[in-house]
Amino acid sequence: LATGIYFESKSEPLAGQLAVGKVIANRAESRGRFPATYCGVLFQRGQFSFVRGAHLPSVNHSNKQWQTAVAIAKIVDQDLKESAAGDALFFHARYVSPSWRMKRVASIGNHVFYR
């Protein structure tokens, strides 16, 4: 979960990092629509651009942004704080314009979130 938060949103505000983590958690809790684990969600083919094959990129664990991602992951995993992304299952960067026909639930930092 922390790896997904780190690579997808490390330069985003905390609310944006929380929202990205929430999407990953929402997918894992989707009861069959997506894989049932955080790793399964991240490794699902074509979903996260930072995943190459069956490998996650390495992270410098002393990096402050990594430490923040780990803290956010704990918050998401323990459901300690609500996110404006709510029940979103998808997100994209603002500079991308997919023709998705889904309900837009939030826009936080550089990401737009959908259900």
Side-chain angles (χ1 to χ4, degrees):
L1 180 57
T3 302
I5 293 167
Y6 179 80
F7 283 106
E8 289 293 333
S9 61
K10 66 185 169 206
S11 62
E12 293 296 307
L14 293 176
Q17 293 180 54
L18 179 67
V20 166
K22 188 66 176 161
V23 167
I24 295 167
N26 288 346
R27 285 183 175 198
E29 296 166 1
S30 68
R31 298 180 184 183
R33 184 168 179 186
F34 294 94
T37 65
Y38 299 142
C39 287
V41 168
L42 293 177
F43 285 117
Q44 190 175 22
R45 188 177 174 142
Q47 296 300 303
F48 293 91
S49 61
F50 66 88
V51 176
R52 299 284 186 239
H55 302 285
L56 296 174
S58 61
V59 177
N60 176 352
H61 290 219
S62 64
N63 180 312
K64 175 83 166 136
Q65 291 174 314
W66 170 252
Q67 293 168 3
T68 299
V70 169
I72 296 287
K74 288 177 183 176
I75 291 167
V76 170
D77 185 56
Q78 296 173 21
D79 203 21
L80 298 176
K81 181 153 179 61
E82 292 295 317
S83 168
D87 60 355
L89 291 171
F90 302 92
F91 66 90
H92 65 76
R94 284 185 190 265
Y95 59 82
V96 177
S97 295
S99 57
W100 293 351
R101 292 192 171 130
M102 292 179 257
K103 180 182 178 187
R104 183 175 170 165
V105 295
S107 181
I108 306 166
N110 189 42
H111 290 101
V112 182
F113 297 85
Y114 297 85
R115 173 81 179 139

